[in-house]
Amino acid sequence: MTDGTRWEMEIRAMLTRPIPPASEGLSNDARPALLALSILMDRISAMPRADRDDLFELLEEWRGSERPEERESIRRAMEEILGQARPTYRELPGGEGQPMPGGLSRWAQGVGGRLRAARERAGLSQAQLAERAGLTQSHVSRLENAEHSPTRLTLEKLARALGVAAEGLDPSEE
């Protein structure tokens, strides 16, 4: 097995493995790195196969390079490939403007209530929380009002911004 094949297999395995909650056992300095890694893994998994293959090939070239200027050139090429990958979104059951199914709706209401209570305890406005979490105020409002259900990544961003555990915002964690 070549090094390129081994690296590709390892990265593919990482893309399919669930990520443990970000707050478990990590220092405050390591948490942003984990968030960046989760975003990167999401982008790589959404890429067309040809782009992923190019990225893995560049990664191998970067590992084998010893010259700083060559590494910098490879890094820029990798950034170009990663910059093309856009996050993908899927429609929630019920579609735009239609109510969520019962269980999802109850969960979103539970999250919204917990989020609002935690935000108010922290003395933050929706706009302040949104800024700290890297979200828009309107998105925070829709989450608090259970108009949308958050992803795990969004829950983690909000929890980090509030200084609480993500599990505390998720009613299914009880």
Side-chain angles (χ1 to χ4, degrees):
M1 176 182 312
T2 68
D3 280 346
T5 306
R6 183 180 54 79
W7 267 92
E8 185 173 350
M9 288 174 53
E10 287 176 18
I11 291 173
R12 286 184 195 284
M14 284 192 322
L15 293 175
T16 59
R17 216 177 291 138
I19 298 174
S23 59
E24 285 185 13
L26 291 179
S27 69
N28 286 337
D29 293 340
R31 290 179 182 159
L34 180 62
L35 177 61
L37 180 59
S38 67
I39 292 168
L40 181 61
M41 289 170 53
D42 194 41
R43 285 202 174 182
I44 292 171
S45 67
M47 282 181 184
R49 176 146 179 86
D51 287 347
R52 273 195 313 263
D53 290 346
D54 289 345
L55 186 66
F56 294 137
E57 185 177 312
L58 285 168
L59 181 60
E60 280 302 310
E61 287 180 34
W62 183 85
R63 287 185 64 231
S65 173
E66 294 181 14
R67 294 188 5 244
E69 59 275 358
E70 186 177 3
R71 281 186 159 211
E72 178 63 19
S73 174
I74 293 168
R75 185 194 56 78
R76 282 195 309 269
M78 291 170 73
E79 283 179 355
E80 283 181 32
I81 293 170
L82 289 167
Q84 294 175 55
R86 296 291 174 240
T88 57
Y89 303 94
R90 60 182 169 87
E91 190 90 14
L92 285 173
E96 186 66 33
Q98 297 179 13
M100 289 183 259
L104 182 58
S105 178
R106 284 188 298 279
W107 182 79
Q109 288 170 0
V111 169
R114 288 169 181 235
L115 177 59
R116 178 176 281 119
R119 177 182 58 78
E120 290 173 351
R121 275 193 307 275
L124 298 174
S125 68
Q126 286 181 347
Q128 290 168 321
L129 174 58
E131 184 176 330
R132 286 183 180 188
L135 303 169
T136 63
Q137 179 275 326
S138 60
H139 190 61
V140 171
S141 174
R142 286 190 296 269
L143 293 173
E144 285 188 2
N145 293 310
E147 295 170 14
H148 289 283
S149 64
T151 64
R152 180 68 185 183
L153 180 59
T154 298
L155 275 179
E156 289 175 359
K157 286 180 180 182
L158 290 164
R160 219 176 345 273
L162 289 164
V164 301
E167 293 76 19
L169 298 177
D170 185 347
S172 65
E173 294 287 333
E174 291 182 336

